[in-house]
Amino acid sequence: MIRALTTRRTELAPFLLLLPAVATMLFVVALPLIFSLWTSLTPYKLTKPNTLYDFIGLTNYIRIFGDWDFWEAFLRTIAFLTVAINVEFALGLGIALLINKITWGQRGLRTIMMFPMMFSPILVGFQFKFLFNDHIGVVNNALQSLGLTDQAIPWLVDAKLAMFSITLAEVWMSTSVFAILLLAGLFAMPRDPLEAAKVDGCNSWQVFRHITLPFLMPFAYIAMAIRSLDVARAYDLVAVMTDGGPAGRTELLWTLVARVGYDEAKMGQANAMAYVSTILSVLFTWYFYRKLVAARRYMGGAE
Amino acid sequence: MAEITLEKVVKKYGALGVVHGIDLTIAHQEFVVLVGPSGCGKSTTLRMIAGLEDITGGLVRIGGQVVNDLPPRKRNISMVFQNYALYPHMNVRDNLGFGLKIAGQSPAEITRRVAEAADILGLAPLLDRTPAELSGGQRQRVAMGRAIVRNPDAFLFDEPLSNLDAKLRGQMRAEIKKLHQKVKTTVVYVTHDQVEAMTLADRIVVMRDGQIEQVGTPMEVFNHPVSTFVATFIGSPPMNLLPGTIAGQTVRLADGTEVPVPDRLKDFVHDGMAVQLGIRPDDISPVGHGLSQDGPGAEVALTVDLAEPLGMESLIYTRLAGQEVQAKLYGPRIAAPGEVLTFRLALDRAHLFDAATGKSVRVR
Ligand SMILES: Nc1ncnc2c1ncn2[C@@H]1O[C@H](COP(=O)(O)OP(=O)(O)O)[C@@H](O)[C@H]1O
Ligand SMILES: [Mg+2]
C-alpha cells in the first residue's frame, strides 16, 4: 500500500515540476492565441466591445479571401520576402567570402559589419525616408549634382520605386545576418575536401560551386529561417517610409492588418488576416528548417 | 609514363626552412614511401608534388614536364588524405564520380568507371550511402576509390592509414599493396610508420629534418642503414647501439668487453676510432634460439631482466656492456627474470657507426 503510494508520488513529480512552465506557456502563448482566434470568428470592433460575443463563424475569413486588397498584400509580402532574402543571401555570401580572405583587420571589419543590425528598424526607416526624399533627399541631390538626372526622382512616391526603396532599406539593415552566419560557416569549413576537389580537377569556381557552397547551405538556411520570420512580419520600415502608399501599392500583410484593425477598428477581420499571415511565416520558416535538417544530416561526415 | 623527379626542392614558410633541397627520382610505376618522424617535411614534400603547396625553390617534374607553376588540376595526380577528405554532401557514388564529372566525362562513362572502381574496392553495396554513414575503413576505401577512378599518372598518399585501428590498418595495408599490383601506377606514399614503409615500398626514402637521409629498397635500408638515425628508425624493436672504441681488430665497449670487428667492416675502421656498435635484437639470441647458428659470432652470458613472451618468440631485456639492450629468443620457451643465459651475438650482421657523425663507417 505504502509502496503504491510512493510510486504514485514519483510518477506525479515530473508533472508537478513542469506545472509552472506549463502555466506560463498557457498564460503567455495559448490564451492570447485562443483569444485572437476567437475574435477572428466575431465581428469584433474596438469601439464596440460587445461585438466580442457575436459568433459569426468563418465570415471574416470568407470576406478577406474575397478581398483583392488582401491578396495583393499577401502576394506582395511573398515577393518582398523572396527578393529581400535572396539579395541578402547573395550579398552576405559575397561579404563573407571577402572577409574570410582578409588576414589583417578582420576583427574590426566583422564588428563594423554588424552596425546596421544595431539600429532600430524605425530609425532605419526614417533615415532611408530622408535619403530618398524627392526634394531634400541625399540620393536625388547626389544624382543631380553628378548630372545623372535633371529631375527629382520620386523614390517613395512612384509605386515600383517605393517598393525598391523599401527593399533596399531592408537589405541594408539585414544583410549582415547572412554575412555573419556564412562567415561562421567558412571558419568551420574543413580544408581537406577543398584540397581534394582541387586535386580532383576543380578550378576555383568549381571548388566553390561544388564544395564550399553546399557546405555553407545549412548556415544559409539558418539565416533564412530567422529572416523569413522577420521579413514576413515586416511593418515598421514600410509604416515609416511609405505607410503602405502610394494608394496601397506598398501595402504588406502587417501594415494592412494594422490599418484594418486600428484605423478601421475592425479587429475581428484584422485578426483573421493576422492568422493567415502567421501561418504564412510559419510555413516559410518550416520550409527552411526542413532544408536545414536535410542539409545537416550529411554534415556529420565533414570531418 | 609518369616519372616524378624532384631537383633541389626547397620549401620555406617565411624564414623557416622546412624542406632543404631534396633530390629524388621516382620511376614510372614505382611505389616509393617517404618515411620519417613527424614534422620532418614528408607531407610538405608530397603536397608540393600535388601542387597544394608553392615550391620555394628547385624543380618538380611529372612525366618530364616541369609542374612548379601548374595548379593541382593540371597535374593529373590523385591524392588520398589522412582524414579521407570525402565530400560530405555527396553519396559514395558521387564522391567517386566527382572528378570524372568535372572532367566532363559522359554519364555512361562515369557510371562504368565508378562501377569498376567500386568493384575493385568492394564498395558496390555502399554506393548510395553518404560519408557520414560509413565506418573509418569504408571511408578510407572510398577515398582510394576516388583516387583510382580518374586513372591518374600518379597516386599520392598522405598517412592514409593512421586514423584506423591496428587490425584494420594491417588489412588496408595489404589492400593498398594488392591495389598497386592491379592498377600499376606511380605511387608516392607518406607515413611515419616504418612497418608500412617496409611492407609497401619498392623503395624507401628516409627523411629527417627536411632532408633525405637514405634512399633504398626496404632490404637495403634495413641491412645497410647509413646512419644511427636510419638504423634505429627502421626495424622494430630498434637496433641496439653500444658505444665503444676500435682497438686493433676489436671493438672495446664501455665496460671493457671486447668483440671482434665484423670482417666486412675491417677496412673501414682505424685504431682508436670512437664508434657505436649497432646490433639488432634479432641478432642477440640465447644459443640455440637464434636465427643464425653459424657464421662468426661472440658468446656472452647475460642476465634476463624482463621477458615479453609473444608466443613463438620472446623479447628479452638484458644488459650488455653496462647498457640496456633488447634481444630476441626464438622458439616457444619461457625465459624467467634473473635467469642467466648464454647469448650469441651474430656479429656478421652487426654495424659500426662513427660516434662523432652518426654515419655508418662504410659511408665517407
Ligand atoms: N603552413 C605552415 N606554416 C608554417 N610551418 C608549417 C606549415 N605547414 C607545416 N609547417 C612545418 O613544417 C614542418 C614539416 O611539416 P610536415 O611536412 O607536415 O611534416 P610531416 O608530414 O613529416 O609530419 C613542421 O615542422 C611543420 O610545423
Ligand atoms: Mg604529415
Side-chain angles (χ1 to χ4, degrees):
Chain A
M1 192 61 204
I2 290 170
R3 187 137 167 207
L5 262 181
T6 39
T7 41
R8 171 73 55 75
R9 206 173 284 155
T10 38
E11 272 166 14
L12 274 177
F15 297 100
L16 281 172
L17 289 172
L18 280 172
L19 203 60
V22 172
T24 316
M25 287 289 283
L26 273 177
F27 193 71
V28 176
V29 180
L31 273 186
L33 264 180
I34 293 166
F35 179 71
S36 58
L37 182 63
W38 169 254
T39 56
S40 76
L41 303 174
T42 68
Y44 182 40
K45 284 188 87 108
L46 282 178
T47 46
K48 295 181 194 157
N50 276 340
T51 50
L52 195 50
Y53 306 108
D54 293 346
F55 181 76
I56 56 166
L58 293 175
T59 314
N60 280 328
Y61 288 93
I62 292 164
R63 185 169 305 149
I64 62 169
F65 287 141
D67 177 3
W68 183 239
D69 281 350
F70 171 78
W71 282 117
E72 232 178 316
F74 184 88
L75 294 175
R76 194 177 288 117
T77 304
I78 291 179
F80 177 58
L81 196 149
T82 312
V83 171
I85 284 185
N86 278 301
V87 172
E88 284 170 20
F89 172 45
L91 287 179
L93 181 60
I95 293 172
L97 289 172
L98 286 178
I99 291 185
N100 191 40
K101 285 266 178 220
I102 296 173
T103 48
W104 188 86
Q106 202 186 55
R107 273 161 173 273
L109 268 174
R110 258 150 50 194
T111 312
I112 292 172
M113 191 172 75
M114 292 171 66
F115 279 175
M117 291 167 68
M118 298 175 188
F119 302 118
S120 149
I122 300 225
L123 295 182
V124 173
F126 276 123
Q127 204 52 49
F128 272 87
K129 186 175 182 167
F130 290 121
L131 287 174
F132 282 123
N133 186 291
D134 32 349
H135 299 302
I136 56 162
V138 176
V139 176
N140 275 351
N141 216 315
L143 291 177
Q144 284 164 355
S145 305
L146 290 170
L148 294 173
T149 172
D150 50 359
Q151 307 154 11
I153 297 172
W155 288 111
L156 296 173
V157 181
D158 177 85
K160 287 211 179 89
L161 283 178
M163 207 58 228
F164 169 82
S165 306
I166 291 170
T167 311
L168 194 74
E170 174 66 44
V171 167
W172 180 84
M173 193 170 63
S174 303
T175 293
S176 43
V177 175
F178 278 90
I180 286 162
L181 280 164
L182 292 174
L183 194 59
L186 285 172
F187 286 163
M189 171 117 217
R191 195 181 62 164
D192 281 359
L194 298 179
E195 294 189 333
K198 283 186 206 166
V199 174
D200 253 354
C202 290
N203 58 30
S204 311
W205 160 250
Q206 288 165 325
V207 172
F208 173 76
R209 164 76 189 71
H210 295 291
I211 312 297
T212 312
L213 197 57
F215 182 83
L216 287 180
M217 279 327 278
F219 296 86
Y221 290 134
I222 293 174
M224 287 179 187
I226 296 172
R227 291 294 303 140
S228 60
L229 262 185
D230 247 7
V231 181
R233 65 165 196 222
Y235 171 77
D236 18 25
L237 270 182
V238 184
V240 168
M241 287 176 73
T242 63
D243 197 20
R249 300 297 289 276
T250 58
E251 194 86 278
L252 299 183
L253 276 175
W254 284 101
T255 59
L256 185 64
V257 170
R259 195 179 319 288
V260 172
Y262 301 129
D263 296 356
E264 301 170 17
K266 292 189 266 186
M267 198 43 103
Q269 190 179 331
N271 272 339
M273 290 181 182
Y275 255 90
V276 177
S277 312
T278 308
I279 289 167
L280 180 71
S281 320
V282 170
L283 280 181
F284 264 101
T285 310
W286 176 76
Y287 171 75
F288 288 125
Y289 187 74
R290 281 285 308 271
K291 292 250 195 207
L292 170 68
V293 170
R296 277 185 48 136
R297 200 168 301 136
Y298 56 72
M299 280 308 164
E303 73 283 342
Chain B
M1 283 296 288
E3 179 187 81
I4 299 174
T5 53
L6 310 186
E7 279 174 34
K8 309 230 167 3
V9 169
V10 173
K11 176 68 190 183
K12 288 186 178 152
Y13 290 108
L16 174 76
V18 170
V19 174
H20 311 283
I22 282 187
D23 286 299
L24 181 64
T25 300
I26 298 158
H28 180 54
Q29 297 189 346
E30 188 178 24
F31 198 128
V32 164
V33 175
L34 305 185
V35 68
S38 156
C40 70
K42 311 174 295 284
S43 295
T44 307
T45 306
L46 191 76
R47 292 165 56 81
M48 284 193 284
I49 299 173
L52 294 169
E53 295 287 349
D54 292 334
I55 298 162
T56 314
L59 293 177
V60 174
R61 284 178 224 267
I62 300 177
Q65 187 193 9
V66 175
V67 296
N68 284 41
D69 296 321
L70 291 185
R73 70 195 150 93
K74 300 220 170 118
R75 298 190 184 194
N76 198 24
I77 38 106
S78 285
M79 184 151 166
V80 177
F81 295 79
Q82 177 173 357
N83 300 316
Y84 322 127
L86 301 181
Y87 310 125
H89 54 292
M90 300 181 197
N91 64 20
V92 171
R93 185 192 317 280
D94 292 343
N95 261 285
L96 293 177
F98 182 68
L100 299 173
K101 188 175 124 192
I102 292 295
Q105 300 282 353
S106 71
E109 175 72 2
I110 295 176
T111 310
R112 189 182 68 73
R113 280 164 67 174
V114 166
E116 197 178 85
D119 209 39
I120 293 177
L121 288 160
L123 288 171
L126 306 176
L127 283 177
D128 291 314
R129 297 207 199 162
T130 60
E133 297 163 330
L134 300 177
S135 70
Q138 291 168 330
R139 288 181 199 185
Q140 191 55 61
R141 236 184 279 263
V142 176
M144 281 178 8
R146 191 171 63 181
I148 63 172
V149 279
R150 285 183 30 238
N151 216 347
D153 286 340
F155 290 135
L156 310 180
F157 290 84
D158 192 355
E159 312 235 7
L161 305 185
S162 54
N163 283 356
L164 303 179
D165 62 56
K167 185 165 172 229
L168 203 52
R169 201 178 314 151
Q171 284 173 9
M172 290 303 288
R173 203 171 60 211
E175 282 199 34
I176 291 178
K177 188 150 192 170
K178 277 190 224 146
L179 187 68
H180 183 245
Q181 284 160 2
K182 260 188 255 180
V183 188
K184 273 280 174 201
T185 311
T186 312
V187 175
V188 188
Y189 185 107
V190 162
T191 179
H192 64 269
D193 178 356
Q194 59 91 23
V195 178
E196 275 172 40
M198 288 295 289
T199 50
L200 288 173
D202 291 331
R203 253 183 337 142
I204 292 180
V205 177
V206 184
M207 286 184 68
R208 175 193 194 181
D209 295 338
Q211 264 154 347
I212 291 181
E213 185 86 359
Q214 183 170 8
V215 181
T217 63
M219 287 330 272
E220 277 166 7
V221 173
F222 184 83
N223 289 330
H224 308 288
V226 297
S227 63
T228 53
F229 177 81
V230 177
T232 51
F233 193 81
I234 301 286
S236 173
M239 187 185 284
N240 300 297
L241 293 174
L242 301 165
T245 349
I246 301 292
Q249 297 293 305
T250 63
V251 186
R252 183 178 296 134
L253 300 177
D255 69 341
T257 312
E258 294 199 353
V259 295
V261 171
D263 278 343
R264 62 193 169 85
L265 298 175
K266 282 201 169 113
D267 294 342
F268 300 98
V269 295
H270 55 81
D271 220 19
M273 188 179 184
V275 293
Q276 292 200 291
L277 175 73
I279 183 158
R280 293 197 185 275
D282 301 292
D283 300 327
I284 309 178
S285 295
V287 172
H289 290 279
L291 289 179
S292 63
Q293 313 298 338
D294 45 358
E299 289 185 3
V300 275
L302 301 173
T303 314
V304 175
D305 286 336
L306 181 72
E308 296 179 335
L310 298 165
M312 278 307 286
E313 60 187 61
S314 299
L315 186 59
I316 291 181
Y317 293 77
T318 175
R319 270 157 297 122
L320 176 57
Q323 199 186 325
E324 176 166 283
V325 295
Q326 296 178 38
K328 278 268 184 76
L329 177 154
Y330 287 91
R333 173 198 193 286
I334 297 295
E339 196 174 342
V340 178
L341 296 169
T342 307
F343 283 77
R344 183 168 179 283
L345 312 183
L347 285 172
D348 52 332
R349 285 208 289 266
H351 303 264
L352 282 175
F353 302 97
D354 188 325
T357 61
K359 298 278 176 219
S360 165
V361 295
R362 295 186 312 123
V363 285
R364 281 283 134 152

